[in-house]
C-alpha cells in the first residue's frame, strides 16, 4: 500500500483544500494583480470561508507561494 492509500479521508480533504486555496490565490493574482486580490476573494474562489483560509496560510502571500504552516506532531518528531 503506498502512502496515498494509507492517508485517511481527513488528510486527503486537507490536501485538496490547501491545493484549491493555492490555485485560487495564484489565479486571482495573475488575473487581478496582488493589490486587488484579497483573502476574501481567494476563499470565495476556493469555496471555503476566510477563517478556513487561516487554518492553512498566514497571509495571501503565503498562499501564493505555497508556504505551509509548520505542524509539529508526535508522528513528525518520531520520523
Amino acid at each position: 500500500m503506498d502512502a496515498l492509500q494509507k492517508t485517511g479521508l481527513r488528510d486527503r480533504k486537507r490536501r485538496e483544500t490547501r491545493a484549491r486555496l493555492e490555485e485560487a490565490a495564484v489565479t486571482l493574482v495573475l488575473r487581478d494583480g496582488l493589490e486587488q486580490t484579497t483573502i476574501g476573494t481567494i476563499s470565495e474562489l476556493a469555496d471555503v470561508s476566510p477563517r478556513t483560509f487561516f487554518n492553512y496560510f498566514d497571509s495571501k502571500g503565503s498562499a501564493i507561494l505555497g508556504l505551509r504552516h509548520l505542524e509539529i506532531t508526535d508522528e513528525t518528531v518520531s520520523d
Side-chain angles (χ1 to χ4, degrees), residues 15 17-27 29 42 53 56-70:
R15 281 195 309 273
T17 300
R18 178 181 302 282
R20 281 197 327 269
L21 284 164
E22 290 173 358
E23 183 177 342
V26 170
T27 297
V29 168
I42 294 168
F53 174 93
Y56 293 87
F57 300 102
D58 294 326
S59 66
K60 68 180 176 182
S62 295
I64 293 161
L65 297 173
L67 300 177
R68 305 176 191 288
H69 285 301
L70 178 61

Side-chain angles (χ1 to χ4, degrees), residues 43-75:
S43 300
E44 185 177 336
L45 185 58
D47 198 28
V48 299
S49 71
R51 184 176 182 142
T52 298
F53 174 93
F54 287 108
N55 289 334
Y56 293 87
F57 300 102
D58 294 326
S59 66
K60 68 180 176 182
S62 295
I64 293 161
L65 297 173
L67 300 177
R68 305 176 191 288
H69 285 301
L70 178 61
E71 296 179 18
I72 299 176
T73 63
D74 290 339
E75 184 178 306

Side-chain angles (χ1 to χ4, degrees), residues 23-37:
E23 183 177 342
V26 170
T27 297
L28 289 169
V29 168
L30 290 174
R31 186 186 77 191
D32 302 333
L34 184 61
E35 292 298 319
Q36 298 302 316
T37 300

